[in-house]
Every structure is written in C-alpha cells, then in structure tokens.
C-alpha cells in the first residue's frame, strides 16, 4: 500500500469521498481548496483523505475514507497517521477532525491515533444536511470535534 498526494490533473475519487460525507456540494468545495492524498493498492485507489487549513496554525482532516472491500485492514489508521505526519511537516501546530455522534468506530479509531475530544457542535448535521442520518441505530445530529497537538 502506497500513500501519495493526488496530482492536480487527476480526478478526485468522488465515490470514496461520498462514503465519508454525503454532501457532493461540500465535498467538491473542500477538494478544490484542500490537499488531497490517496492510498493505492496495486494501482487501485482504495483510500483518500483531505487536509484543509482552517485557522492560523491549524489544519483539519475534513474527509477520510477507505473502499468498503478494504475496510478493517488498517488502511484508515495508516491514512490518519500519514495525515498527522504531513501536517507536522507543513508546520501546523494542531490537527482537527470531526465526526458524527453516531460514528462509534470512527471515534474509536481517532482516539487510538491520539486525538482528544475538544467539544460538540450541537445539531451540526441537522443544520447542514437535508436528510436525516441514522448510523448504528443512532440519530446522527451532533458533530464531535477532536484535536491533536503536533
Ligand atoms: N470499538 C473499538 N475500536 C474500534 C471500533 C469499535 N466499535 N470500530 C473500529 N475500531 C478500531 C479498530 O479496532 C481499528 O483499530 P486497531 O487497529 O487498533 O484494531 C480501527 O478502529 C479501524 O482501523 P482501520 O482498519 O485502519 O480502519 P479502516 O481502514 O476501516 O478505515 C474508516 C476507517 C476510514 C472510518 C473506514 O471505515 C471508512 O471509510 N468508513 C466510511 C467513511 C467514513 O465514515 N469516514 C469518516 C467520516 S468522518 C471524516 O471524514 C472526517
Ligand atoms: N456500537 C453500537 N451499539 C452498541 C455498541 C457499539 N460498539 N456497544 C453496545 N451497543 C448497543 C447494543 O447494540 C445494544 O443496543 P440494541 O439493543 O439497540 O442492540 C445496547 O448498546 C446494549 O444493550 P444491553 O444489552 O441492554 O446492555 P447491557 O445489559 O450489556 O448493559 C452496561 C450495558 C450497563 C453498560 C453493561 O455492559 C455493564 O454493566 N458494563 C460494565 C459497567 C459499566 O460500564 N457501566 C456504565 C458506566 S457509566 C455509568 O455508570 C453512569
């Protein structure tokens, strides 16, 4: 498995990005503005993450996804650790990530990679997404915000 920056002329892996974020409008917007990285196995793109500067000295993983057939094999963890390293190399002091209150596995993964909870953006998903999101039998309405000092 190889992780590399997506080249400017390359098409972003939209199907993968939509696994992490159902809003095509938001995805297209931050992919344009952010730094996009992909994971490849035998020439096939199986993972992606997008880094977006948000505040002075702070960058955020705004999207991370692994192809369904490759999930649970450690690729997501490697992508998060790569995002932390890239952000450090770029000179950022803090890395943020946010996920839904219903994303139990993602919350586990991010904390295993060193992120700590900083706060809750109540009703974020109610305000920004038209459709109701249910995951693990839980209504996804709040965004759990996490951070890590670099
Ligand atoms: N309890 C405890 N640990 C858990 C749980 C749980 N319920 N669920 C997952 N984990 C742990 C696993 O044990 C593993 O940790 P380990 O290596 O210590 O055993 C880790 O979380 C998962 O690791 P990976 O196999 O590396 O993860 P994967 O390759 O499946 O990628 C990802 C994770 C990116 C979340 C993937 O499942 C995916 O693409 N999901 C759909 C899209 C998505 O939800 N993206 C995130 C949205 S938020 C955002 O984009 C900012
Ligand atoms: N992802 C999604 N859903 C989960 C997960 C997970 N990782 N883990 C549990 N659940 C869900 C189950 O699916 C189930 O929901 P469902 O009925 O919709 O399927 C529910 O959580 C568990 O339900 P029960 O079987 O009723 O729970 P149980 O009888 O095991 O009691 C308890 C839970 C009290 C936490 C028990 O496990 C326990 O005593 N644990 C040790 C003590 C403890 O941790 N207590 C709480 C500390 S905090 C406090 O005391 C205020």
């Amino acid at each position: 498995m190889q992780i590399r920056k997506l080249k400017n002329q390359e098409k972003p892996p939209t199907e993968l990005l939509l696994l992490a974020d159902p809003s095509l409008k938001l995805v297209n917007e931050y992919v344009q503005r952010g730094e996009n990285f992909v994971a490849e196995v035998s020439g096939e793109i199986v993972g992606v993450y997008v880094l977006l500067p948000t505040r002075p000295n702070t960058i955020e993983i705004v999207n991370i996804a692994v192809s369904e057939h490759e999930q649970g094999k450690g690729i997501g963890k490697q992508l998060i650790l790569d995002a932390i390293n890239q952000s450090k190399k770029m000179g950022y002091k803090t890395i943020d990530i946010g996920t839904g209150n219903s994303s139990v596995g993602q919350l586990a993964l991010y904390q295993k990679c060193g992120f700590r909870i900083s706060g809750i953006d109540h009703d974020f998903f109610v305000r920004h997404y038209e459709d109701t999101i249910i995951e693990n039998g839980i209504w996804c309405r709040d965004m759990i915000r996490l951070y890590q000092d670099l």
Side-chain angles (χ1 to χ4, degrees):
M1 205 261 301
Q2 185 211 350
I3 301 175
R4 63 167 176 89
K5 204 164 165 174
L6 193 74
K7 297 186 194 92
N8 281 341
Q9 69 274 21
E10 271 183 294
K11 211 169 90 45
T14 307
E15 263 180 49
L16 269 180
L17 292 156
L18 288 172
L19 286 180
D21 183 343
S23 168
L24 183 61
K25 185 170 164 280
L26 287 180
V27 165
N28 283 336
E29 200 221 346
Y30 56 64
V31 160
Q32 283 292 320
R33 294 196 290 130
E35 303 266 13
N36 309 308
F37 291 82
V38 291
E40 259 176 354
V41 172
S42 315
E44 186 201 349
I45 293 182
V46 297
V48 65
Y49 72 82
V50 180
L51 285 173
L52 191 70
T54 50
R55 296 189 304 279
N57 299 319
T58 303
I59 197 158
E60 177 164 344
I61 303 173
V62 288
N63 191 304
I64 175 158
V66 171
S67 303
E68 266 154 328
H69 66 280
E70 293 288 340
Q71 287 177 11
K73 298 181 185 173
I75 295 174
K77 198 174 200 175
Q78 286 185 65
L79 285 172
I80 297 270
L81 297 176
D82 191 76
I84 293 167
N85 273 333
Q86 293 288 351
S87 305
K88 242 187 238 174
K89 271 200 259 169
M90 288 188 258
Y92 287 95
K93 299 282 177 247
T94 308
I95 183 166
D96 286 344
I97 195 164
T99 195
N101 58 283
S102 51
S103 298
V104 180
Q106 288 80 343
L107 285 167
L109 170 62
Y110 304 156
Q111 291 178 87
K112 283 179 175 180
C113 291
F115 284 89
R116 296 186 65 184
I117 292 172
S118 55
I120 300 167
D121 190 344
H122 282 110
D123 287 318
F124 174 91
F125 293 97
V126 178
R127 277 185 270 114
H128 294 281
Y129 293 82
E130 259 176 44
D131 296 331
T132 301
I133 307 167
I134 307 282
E135 185 187 20
N136 297 313
I138 306 166
W139 178 14
C140 177
R141 56 201 299 202
D142 304 321
M143 184 186 275
I144 311 295
R145 304 285 315 161
L146 301 100
Y147 77 100
Q148 179 166 171
D149 291 329
L150 296 169

